[in-house]
């Protein structure tokens, strides 16, 4: 499986069964390595409803006529916007032609902001995403605090590649992210959700030092890929 970092929390995972796009925040993302008009995939997987994760999901889903997979409440809200959304929920897995998707708990928010009416649109619980294709498993944590639940994910799954936020302020910082790696014990880990904005500036090499030899840390610049 080839996994390409497109900036912030957006990754493309490609294998013989298809290509899935995680959290496609591309328009308005200063670090985006591909445009929403040009990216290609067979499905979009969303961790939660915040703008820097849903991003261009509706536009890409419409252009390519592909499904979006999200937890039930977010899938419902996106369905109102005219796209095909497959609803799952925490703890449930489903097999698609493009691979297996399972949502696991994350500790964060998940809503959309209706500026015009100064209202918050509830979109259910945030999630982390286990994606398996061709016997390779990627664990995309989305936005989350450190949870003891990650220990369980690591015990029950052989994670080949963990995609972990390290930006601090809204999510785990480097120390907590390194502890999450010690719980999940993936073969390889790529840090994300940092440096997009000054508020989440981090040195990923410091994260790599904190992880030590527990897992192989691969620091990707937007546009770069890793094979698992
Ligand atoms: Ni968020
Ligand atoms: Mn975020």
């Amino acid at each position: 499986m080839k996994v390409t970092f497109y900036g912030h929390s957006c990754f493309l995972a490609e294998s013989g069964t298809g290509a899935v796009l995680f959290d496609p925040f591309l328009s308005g993302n200063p670090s985006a390595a591909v445009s929403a008009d040009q990216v290609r995939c067979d499905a979009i997987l969303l961790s939660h409803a915040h703008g820097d994760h849903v991003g261009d999901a509706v536009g890409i889903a419409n252009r390519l006529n592909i499904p979006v997979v999200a937890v039930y409440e977010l899938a419902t809200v996106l369905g109102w916007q005219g796209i095909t959304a497959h609803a799952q929920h925490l703890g449930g897995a489903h097999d698609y032609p493009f691979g297996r998707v399972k949502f696991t708990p994350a500790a964060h928010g998940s809503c959309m902001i209706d500026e015009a009416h100064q209202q918050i649109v509830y979109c259910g619980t945030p999630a982390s995403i286990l994606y398996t294709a061709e016997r390779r498993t990627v664990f995309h944590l989305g936005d989350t605090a450190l949870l003891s639940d990650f220990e369980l994910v690591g015990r029950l799954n052989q994670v080949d590649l963990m995609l972990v936020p390290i930006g601090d302020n809204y999510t785990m910082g480097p120390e907590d992210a390194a502890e999450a790696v010690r719980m999940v014990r993936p073969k390889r880990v790529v840090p994300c959700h940092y440096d997009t904005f000054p508020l989440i500036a981090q040195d990923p090499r410091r994260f790599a030092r904190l992880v030590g030899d527990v897992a192989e840390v691969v620091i990707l610049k937007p546009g770069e890929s890793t094979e698992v």
Side-chain angles (χ1 to χ4, degrees), residues 8 47-53 108-111 126 142-144 170-171 193:
H8 202 55
S47 64
H48 67 293
H50 291 158
D52 61 320
H53 296 261
H108 190 67
S110 184
C111 67
D143 284 356
T144 183
Y170 299 112
T171 68
H193 209 276

Side-chain angles (χ1 to χ4, degrees), residues 9 16 19 30 50 57 62 99 105 116 125 143 152 163 170 175 178 180 184 187-188 192 195 202 223 225-227:
S9 290
H50 291 158
N62 273 325
T125 178
D143 284 356
L152 195 55
L163 310 172
Y170 299 112
E175 286 82 5
V184 174
K187 287 185 186 147
R188 189 175 294 175
C192 64
D195 281 2
Q202 291 293 339
S225 303
T226 185
E227 294 266 355

Side-chain angles (χ1 to χ4, degrees), residues 24 44 46 54-64 66 68 77-79 81-83 112:
I44 296 168
L46 296 180
V54 169
D56 300 289
V58 171
I60 296 167
N62 273 325
R63 176 172 62 82
L64 298 174
I66 56 167
V68 174
V77 171
L78 292 172
Q81 299 180 31
I83 62 165
M112 292 185 189

Side-chain angles (χ1 to χ4, degrees), residues 21-216:
L21 186 65
F22 294 87
D23 287 359
F25 170 49
L26 299 171
S27 303
N29 174 359
S31 69
V34 67
S35 77
D37 295 340
Q38 297 194 321
V39 68
R40 298 209 61 85
C41 55
D42 299 300
I44 296 168
L45 313 183
L46 296 180
S47 64
H48 67 293
H50 291 158
D52 61 320
H53 296 261
V54 169
D56 300 289
V58 171
I60 296 167
N62 273 325
R63 176 172 62 82
L64 298 174
N65 193 27
I66 56 167
V68 174
V69 180
V71 301
Y72 170 73
E73 294 84 354
L74 175 54
T76 300
V77 171
L78 292 172
W80 292 336
Q81 299 180 31
I83 62 165
T84 303
H86 183 114
Q88 292 186 218
H89 229 302
L90 297 187
H94 186 74
D95 288 305
Y96 299 87
F98 50 83
R100 181 177 182 83
V101 177
K102 183 173 183 176
F103 287 107
T104 64
H108 190 67
S110 184
C111 67
M112 292 185 189
I113 306 294
D114 179 353
E115 295 274 2
H117 303 93
Q118 295 191 353
Q119 284 184 346
I120 286 186
V121 180
Y122 169 74
C123 291
T125 178
S128 299
I129 306 168
L130 283 164
Y131 170 66
T132 304
E134 293 186 322
R135 285 192 268 161
R136 293 287 182 275
T137 295
V138 175
F139 186 37
H140 185 294
L141 273 71
D143 284 356
T144 183
L146 180 62
L147 288 176
S148 54
D149 302 61
F150 298 146
E151 187 100 48
L152 195 55
V153 173
R155 185 142 55 84
L156 300 179
N157 301 274
Q158 175 56 64
V159 174
D160 295 286
L161 181 65
M162 176 167 166
L163 310 172
V164 63
I166 66 161
D168 224 338
N169 193 77
Y170 299 112
T171 68
M172 293 186 283
E175 286 82 5
D176 283 1
E179 184 62 28
V181 173
R182 285 189 282 275
M183 291 170 148
V184 174
R185 300 212 158 251
K187 287 185 186 147
R188 189 175 294 175
V189 57
V190 172
C192 64
H193 209 276
Y194 69 95
D195 281 2
T196 320
F197 312 107
L199 186 58
I200 55 173
Q202 291 293 339
D203 178 359
R205 291 165 302 182
R206 190 165 77 81
F207 166 71
R209 284 195 296 276
L210 290 164
V211 171
D213 56 12
V214 170
E216 180 192 0

